[in-house]
Each structure stands twice: as structure tokens, then as C-alpha cells.
Amino acid sequence: MPRDEETESGVKARYADESYPVDSWVDGETVTNDIDESFDFVVVGTGAAGAVAAHTLTCAGFSVAMVEEGPWIKTREVGEDVYGVFKRGMRDGATQAIEGRAFMPLLQGRAVGGSTLVNSAIAWRTPADVLHDWSKDFGLGDTLSEEALAPHFDALERDLSVKSVDDDVLGENNASLLVEADKRAIQANAIKRYEKGCRGEARCLTGCPHGAKQGMNVSYVPWSLAKGARLFSSCRVDKVIVENGRAIGVLATTTHVFRARATRKRVHLRARHGVFVAASTIQTPNVLRRSGLRSRDIGEHFQAHPGIACGGVMSSPVHMEFGASQGAESTHFRKTDRFKLETISMPPELCAARMPGIGTELMDKLDRYPNVAVWAVQLRAEAKGTVRKGWGGRDVVNLTLTKNDLTRARTALGLMARMMFDHGAEEIWPGVYGLPSVMTSADQVALIDDAPLDPRAYSFVATHLFGASRMGPDPRSSVVGLDFATHEAKNLFVVDSSVFPTNLGVNPQHSIMAIARCAAERVAANAKRSAVA
Amino acid sequence: MTLMSFEKRWAHAGLSAIYPERAHGVRVTFDHVDASLDETMLVVPWRSGMGLRIAIWMVALSPIWLLMRLGTIASVRAVDRQRALGRLISHRNYFVRQLALLFKAFGALWVFRDVKLREAVLRRGERLITLKRKDAGHAA
Ligand SMILES: Cc1cc2nc3c(=O)[nH]c(=O)nc-3n(C[C@H](O)[C@H](O)[C@H](O)COP(=O)(O)OP(=O)(O)OC[C@H]3O[C@@H](n4cnc5c(N)ncnc54)[C@H](O)[C@@H]3O)c2cc1C
Ligand code: SF4
């Protein structure tokens, strides 16, 4: 149990996000004057990529500014209802969607810590086969080899305390997937996560109320501040200033969800050695465009892991509100069928939205919430899409799943449905339009095998995002070079998953952090060398 | 973008069909809905706000075009509200269905801000009782 400690500001610090030098955090929501400051490096975004890059640069002895569009939501402020976090901590109040033949909700954090504030903290090293493809098919050579990344994974795992979910916080939703997988000889395991002292509150999606989940908001961000970095939260970077082909700083504007535009202030942060853009796969392409970059490859080759859930009512209590939010997984089908199975504890409001029916039918189901289990599939979709700039500067994301993707999704759904019935489900909800919304026997699952191959029939959600500012040696087919600098502007580095040539088939945060760490370490070494020269 | 009071009335009426006030031990209150509607319209971008407004209008007028009843969702009987919403949620047209699902999903976020409703649905107490029974079993 964390203890209260006295901080410099006199506040009793119980959590890591309360312990930092008082003047290291500038909150854009309360700023009253324009700002103009100078640093060695400016890092845009404080998610998985930005926070790690900032920490690495700070530890290398550079002065660093972290600029984040969203607010810093502290552990003490974390509530239980999903509305609260969607309103303050998610981009567009969680109403973003990928467009294409069907709409696909797109969830992204917009807060200090980025999406790690609301994610499940699942840690997966980049699979060797993916790195091999990047090296051979996309010309990355040894830039991101297993050997190059291994020390970074090691360090991250130490810092963020990566470990498998303990038995005593596994919970029934997670345990049941492991039991069923075992019966079918499907390889499955308890998930490895970034956590220190998880109490199995199943609330990772709304932010951990105990500061146990090691999101960037309670780890690398406050750790960087403690080492001398500065944080500008609620400050949206409008553009990177590029002069004579070189990035020299950023221009930002303070933001406040509930306050008029007129009260906004200008923030000018100068960067002596460079600017790191880590605004995520979706926002980075338009930050680059607003900064004057013109590469035709910006916004191309976007990929995702669309997720789809299958819920059901079990014959005995599951109590999803207890256990690691996501505690069991199987990568058994990753290479053969391009999908990964995961459990996911859904809070009542998300369950209500996903449950079939309305009125009394819906309330009957809600009444059985303690017996509800939800499992999900992450699909390594082959579909490629785009991230463009829309009207009013909006990020417009387009992706339509292919027939192959949909065939794999329905295979996975059918498998989960069968496993749930084997585990004693009284009914399951496949969530596919055109099929019965409630299935009460395993015989009906055959219908899923023939479900329509139309993306509009399914309810996918996207949280894992890749590409759109790809890395590669050739400026004609990539945006970022092998040194992480854009081909067009010197000292403008991109370090988030927008540089990934493809998606992964496993959860991306660990890969993103390791690559950002590797990039920051190399850039820092170069900056030191050139300073000496 | 802000909603007019009649639009909020429609939203209430539509949500009361999806989440009826009383069923089993679960009691739904709509105490948080008005404030949440205002806040949501402020927080989400213009396009999403417009989508929500269109969804509310679609729900409001659904008795007319789906049930041939002269009246808005707020003025028809509770059973007709449920019939209209039921048809919207499973409508053949993808856009109609998506807007209805958007309305249902937002409604869930708003009504579940009520702590009592959340507790009634979660029934955490039952889990603790089950655990205690299990522990007692082991001890025996
Ligand atoms: C609900 C959910 C669950 C997930 N679960 C997992 C999981 O368990 N394991 C896993 O590996 N992955 C998970 N992911 C995905 C993972 O969190 C992301 O892939 C990862 O956080 C992306 O890192 P990033 O730094 O690229 O972007 P983000 O973490 O999204 O951070 C980008 C940050 O940049 C800020 N920003 C954007 N534009 C600007 C601008 N113009 N100016 C200033 N700041 C800006 C944003 O506000 C944001 O805070 C999940 C994602 C979600 C949404
Ligand atoms: S499961 Fe609960 S206690 Fe554990 S990390 Fe997630 S929110 Fe925190």
C-alpha cells in the first residue's frame, strides 16, 4: 500500500503523479500569459512513445519540454464511471471513428500518459517474424533488429515492473478463458502487464484508482520531471517550426474543454537540438502536414488491429468487476489466422451498450450482469487505409476491412462462442447483424461460420494503430529515415507507431516504447557527439 | 452546440424506452442525463454533436415514420416508445441502426453515472459472499 509522503509543494504525495518539483509542470488550463521558453529537445505527446523518449533524453542530460494536448488526470481524480474519463481524457470525448464502408469507433487517450491512461497495460515484445519482415521487405536492415531492441525491452520491463497477472487477481472472466483453451489444447496464458500492486479492480479503462497500472502518467512523465524536464499539459502543438530545412521548435495553443477560444494563450517552445513528434499514428501525420512537410507518403499505409467482442451469460457468477481488466490471452492463431484472443472486463455501461435489445429485455440481461463474461479478438487486419486532413483540420481516418479480414474475424467469433458454450454459457451475443442477437445453444454457432462478409454487419473497435508516417530508406516510399528523422526536415524526429511499416499481431505499447527509447538514445548520442565536435 | 429543451425531453423519452425506470432490482434514474447532454455537446467535436442531434431527432420522430402514430416519442404511450426504439435498433438501414446504437451507447454512459444504479447492477456484495463461502469451504 503506497504511503503519503511530504513533497516540495507541501502536498501529501501518495502516488507517483503527485511527486515532482513544483515548477516543472505548466498547466495550460490555468495559464494566463503567453509562454516563450528554450530547451535542447521538445517532445510532442506524452503517450507511450513521447514519455519514454522524453525520459531517455532527460537521463542523457538534455533539457526537455514535454507538450501534451490533454490534461493531467491525477490518480486521486480517477472515478469509476466511464463517462467521466471519456469526457476529459479521451480524444473527441471518445466519438472518433474510422470511416470506410462501415464506421469503426476509434479510441485514443488525450491526456498526460496518452492512451496508456486508459489501456490495459498488456506488454508484448515485438515478434521476431515481424522484425524480420521489416528488415527484409521494408529495407530497415538492422535498425530495429531483435538484438538492437532487446536492451530496451529489458530496461522497460525493469522500470515498469512487467509481470504475469497474479492468481489472486486473475478473476473468473480471465480464468475461464484459460480453462477452455486448455481443454482444446489451445496455447493460452495469463497476460504480462506493467503493474505494481494490482488489486484486480478491473478498472484499467477508466484509469487505475490505485496508481498500480504503470501508465506513463504515473511513471516516465513524473520521473522525467523529477530529473529536470518540464511538462506543458493542455497545450496543443499547432505546428513544428521548420526553418532552412531544420526543426527549431514548436508553436502551441493552450486548450480548455469548457473555456472559450478567446482565453487561449500562445506557447512558443524553442528546440536547440530537435523536436520529437510522438502524437500517435492518427495525429502525427497532420502535425507533419501542418508543419509544412509535403511527402506524398504522409498518411498512407495506415493499419490497425480491429477488435471485436463476444459476450455471454454464464450459468455461474463471473463478476467481471473483479480481476485484471484484461488478464488472459492466446496468440495460438496469430501466425496462422492473424488473430489474438483476449478477455476483457466490461464495466456495466459498456456492457449495456453492447448487450442486445432494449427495455425489459435489456434490463433482464443487466440484472444478470454478475454472470456475464466478455472475451474479444484482436485482428491483425491486412487492410490498409489512410489518415488525411479534413475540414477544420480534423483527422480523417479511412479503412475498409477486406474479405480475408472478415473471414478471420468470424472464425475467431465462432471459436469464442463455442468455447463459451463449453464453459456453460446459457446464452451468447455474437453481435453480428443478420444473425440472432442471442444464441442459446452451441448448434446455433454454425450460423456465425456463414455470417455475412460485410463490414457493416460487425461492431469492431480500433485501439491499436500503425503506419501513416512509415520508416524506410527511400524518401519516395517513406516519411521517416532509418535515423528516425523525417526525410524532409533535419532534427524533426518521429518515434511513435506511425513509423511502423506494418501492424504486429500483438499489443503495441511495448514495441512503441522500445523503439522510442532506442530512437532517443541514438539521437542523444549523436547530439552529444556533434556538441563535442 | 447546445440542445433545446424539447430536444432534451425527446432524449429522455427515448432513453426511458431503452432503459425503463424499473425492472427487477434495478432502478434507473435520469438525474444525470440533462447535465450530461449539455456537457457532451460541449466536449465532442461539431460533427459528433451533429450526429447525436440527428439521432435524437430520428428517435423523436420515429413513431411517425415507423408506427404511423401522430406524435413524437415524448407524446406516445410507453409501449409504442419501446416498439419504435426496438425497430430503430435493428433497422435494415445501416445509418439508421448506427445512429440508434449511438443513442443507446451514450444513454448508457449517462444513466450509469448514477452510483446506486451501478451498485445495483454490479452486486459486489454477492461476490464477497461467494468468496466467503468458498473460504469457509476450504477451511472446513
Ligand atoms: C482502451 C485502450 C486499450 C489499450 N490496451 C492496450 C494494451 O493493453 N496493451 C498495448 O500494448 N496497447 C494497448 N492499447 C494501445 C496503446 O495504448 C497505444 O498503442 C499506445 O499508447 C500508443 O502510443 P503513442 O505514444 O503512439 O500514442 P498515445 O499513447 O495515444 O499518445 C499520444 C499523445 O499525444 C498527444 N497529442 C496528439 N496530438 C497532439 C498535439 N498536436 N499536441 C500535443 N499533444 C498531442 C495526445 O493527446 C496523446 O496524449 C490500448 C489503447 C486503448 C485506447
Ligand atoms: S486491474 Fe484495477 S488495480 Fe489492477 S491495474 Fe487495472 S485498474 Fe489498477
Side-chain angles (χ1 to χ4, degrees):
Chain A
M1 163 88 109
R3 282 204 327 268
D4 284 358
E5 281 168 25
E6 201 77 31
T7 63
E8 267 186 57
S9 58
V11 174
K12 289 262 187 192
R14 168 170 298 205
Y15 304 110
D17 55 8
E18 290 169 337
S19 181
Y20 49 85
V22 227
D23 55 0
S24 61
W25 174 31
V26 178
D27 180 357
E29 290 192 350
T30 56
V31 159
T32 49
N33 293 312
D34 289 348
I35 293 172
D36 190 335
E37 292 188 25
S38 293
F39 299 87
D40 290 330
F41 287 101
V42 174
V43 179
V44 183
T46 58
V52 170
H55 186 253
T56 309
L57 294 168
T58 311
C59 289
F62 292 101
S63 68
V64 175
M66 296 178 271
V67 203
E68 168 56 52
E69 184 177 341
W72 196 356
I73 301 174
K74 301 294 185 67
T75 302
R76 280 184 206 257
E77 295 173 66
V78 162
E80 192 169 1
D81 69 319
V82 176
Y83 173 81
V85 75
F86 274 18
K87 176 183 71 177
R88 251 194 112 207
M90 300 291 264
R91 184 160 294 278
D92 295 352
T95 61
Q96 273 192 118
I98 295 178
E99 297 162 27
R101 229 177 132 221
F103 293 106
M104 191 189 305
L106 166 60
L107 294 181
Q108 287 192 287
R110 194 201 63 118
V112 170
S115 303
T116 71
L117 171 73
V118 292
N119 78 7
S120 302
I122 302 173
W124 261 96
R125 289 190 178 204
T126 324
D129 54 294
V130 173
L131 292 176
H132 181 265
D133 290 349
W134 290 0
S135 165
K136 294 281 169 286
D137 302 344
F138 296 91
L140 301 204
D142 289 336
T143 312
L144 300 174
S145 64
E146 261 187 293
E147 296 71 41
L149 292 180
H152 300 288
F153 283 125
D154 291 343
L156 291 164
E157 285 160 21
R158 267 195 314 273
D159 288 355
L160 300 179
S161 171
V162 170
K163 55 173 185 280
S164 293
V165 174
D166 284 340
D167 280 352
D168 53 350
V169 291
L170 190 61
E172 195 53 38
N173 191 38
N174 298 319
S176 53
L177 179 80
L178 296 180
V179 169
E180 281 316 309
D182 190 45
K183 278 191 207 160
R184 289 168 180 259
I186 293 173
Q187 174 281 325
N189 51 274
I191 285 176
K192 282 187 180 164
R193 300 180 309 152
Y194 316 102
E195 59 93 354
K196 287 180 185 160
C198 170
R199 300 189 205 171
E201 292 251 3
R203 284 165 58 180
C204 293
L205 177 69
T206 44
C208 181
H210 306 296
K213 182 178 79 173
Q214 296 299 290
M216 302 298 106
N217 50 313
V218 295
S219 57
Y220 287 116
V221 170
W223 297 344
S224 303
L225 298 183
K227 290 203 178 297
R230 257 161 97 63
L231 167 66
F232 298 82
S233 68
S234 296
C235 292
R236 177 181 187 265
V237 169
D238 300 315
K239 64 176 204 167
V240 178
I241 309 165
V242 179
E243 257 178 37
N244 302 323
R246 187 178 286 271
I248 55 161
V250 304
L251 280 180
T253 316
T254 60
T255 62
H256 193 302
V257 193
F258 300 112
R259 228 177 265 157
R261 274 170 193 275
T263 61
R264 293 181 187 172
K265 299 293 165 208
R266 301 288 292 163
V267 179
H268 182 183
L269 303 175
R270 296 159 202 268
R272 283 180 287 270
H273 291 301
V275 174
F276 277 64
V277 179
S280 89
T281 293
I282 306 299
Q283 280 72 49
T284 289
N286 283 330
V287 170
L288 297 182
R289 285 190 182 109
R290 292 199 297 270
S291 310
L293 271 62
R294 290 288 166 261
S295 163
R296 278 192 313 168
D297 249 50
I298 297 179
E300 298 298 314
H301 314 292
F302 165 69
Q303 284 200 303
H305 291 160
I308 190 162
C310 182
V313 178
M314 299 292 161
S315 51
S316 56
V318 176
H319 286 293
M320 278 197 296
E321 81 284 0
F322 175 75
S325 297
Q326 295 202 262
E329 65 184 0
S330 167
T331 49
H332 190 96
F333 303 95
R334 189 183 75 82
K335 285 191 189 162
T336 51
D337 299 83
R338 295 176 74 98
F339 66 77
K340 174 175 185 265
L341 299 179
E342 291 174 354
T343 48
I344 178 156
S345 294
M346 273 197 191
E349 49 269 69
L350 295 188
C351 230
R354 174 66 180 74
M355 280 170 172
I358 61 156
T360 359
E361 185 197 351
L362 176 60
M363 298 313 273
D364 284 352
K365 297 206 187 312
L366 271 174
D367 194 49
R368 303 214 58 200
Y369 179 84
N371 284 38
V372 170
V374 183
W375 300 347
V377 173
Q378 294 287 352
L379 189 69
R380 188 182 180 197
E382 62 178 24
K384 279 192 182 159
T386 55
V387 179
R388 299 254 155 80
K389 195 165 124 192
W391 181 70
R394 200 170 69 85
D395 304 307
V396 181
V397 190
N398 211 289
L399 182 90
T400 295
L401 295 182
T402 66
K403 286 247 168 355
N404 285 341
D405 292 332
L406 295 167
T407 308
R408 288 169 186 138
R410 85 183 173 186
T411 305
L413 266 179
L415 171 67
M416 283 195 299
R418 289 186 174 92
M419 288 166 78
M420 280 191 162
F421 275 119
D422 283 356
H423 201 71
E426 292 171 6
E427 62 177 54
I428 62 115
W429 320 312
V432 182
Y433 184 74
L435 301 188
S437 56
V438 177
M439 292 185 172
T440 50
S441 84
D443 299 339
Q444 283 178 292
V445 176
L447 294 171
I448 300 179
D449 303 336
D450 293 322
L453 293 177
D454 177 345
R456 292 171 302 180
Y458 299 80
S459 302
F460 288 102
V461 175
T463 56
H464 299 173
L465 314 157
F466 311 87
S469 307
R470 259 188 353 186
M471 174 184 261
D474 186 351
R476 285 167 307 176
S477 58
S478 60
V479 178
V480 174
L482 302 186
D483 56 355
F484 292 93
T486 58
H487 292 300
E488 287 181 75
K490 288 205 178 92
N491 293 355
L492 174 48
F493 306 100
V494 180
V495 295
D496 55 31
S497 52
S498 58
V499 303
F500 288 19
T502 65
N503 53 11
L504 309 172
V506 296
N507 314 62
Q509 181 184 339
H510 214 34
S511 303
I512 294 171
M513 292 194 300
I515 290 172
R517 195 174 186 281
C518 172
E521 209 176 79
R522 289 180 194 174
V523 171
N526 281 342
K528 276 188 181 162
R529 262 198 302 274
S530 54
V532 170
Chain B
M1 199 186 300
T2 47
L3 290 174
M4 312 296 256
S5 56
F6 62 88
E7 289 174 310
K8 287 188 199 163
R9 248 194 334 271
W10 290 342
H12 267 253
L15 289 177
S16 72
I18 300 179
Y19 306 102
E21 242 173 273
R22 261 176 209 285
H24 302 284
V26 182
R27 168 148 164 57
V28 180
T29 63
F30 294 91
D31 300 350
H32 295 280
V33 170
D34 268 358
S36 309
L37 269 166
D38 287 337
E39 241 180 22
T40 302
M41 294 307 265
L42 212 64
V43 170
V44 302
W46 186 87
R47 230 171 92 104
S48 311
M50 203 59 206
L52 194 55
R53 173 167 253 155
I54 294 172
I56 292 173
W57 276 78
M58 184 188 78
V59 168
L61 304 180
S62 59
I64 303 174
W65 61 284
L66 288 176
L67 306 179
M68 307 297 162
R69 292 266 189 288
L70 207 60
T72 65
I73 196 82
S75 63
V76 296
R77 291 177 312 150
V79 301
D80 288 334
R81 277 182 201 168
Q82 288 218 356
R83 276 178 57 212
L85 258 301
R87 290 204 193 166
L88 286 176
I89 294 277
S90 53
H91 202 275
R92 265 188 343 186
N93 183 292
Y94 177 68
F95 292 97
V96 171
R97 204 164 68 234
Q98 287 304 306
L99 283 174
L101 288 172
L102 178 81
F103 182 70
K104 180 181 172 185
F106 264 108
L109 295 184
W110 300 327
V111 298
F112 273 96
R113 291 181 74 188
D114 180 355
V115 179
K116 283 198 196 125
L117 173 62
R118 174 177 291 282
E119 290 307 318
V121 169
L122 287 174
R123 299 214 291 275
R124 288 183 233 255
E126 278 180 19
R127 183 175 69 81
L128 297 177
I129 292 168
T130 321
L131 281 180
K132 273 192 189 143
R133 282 206 195 111
K134 270 192 191 160
D135 281 353
H138 286 311

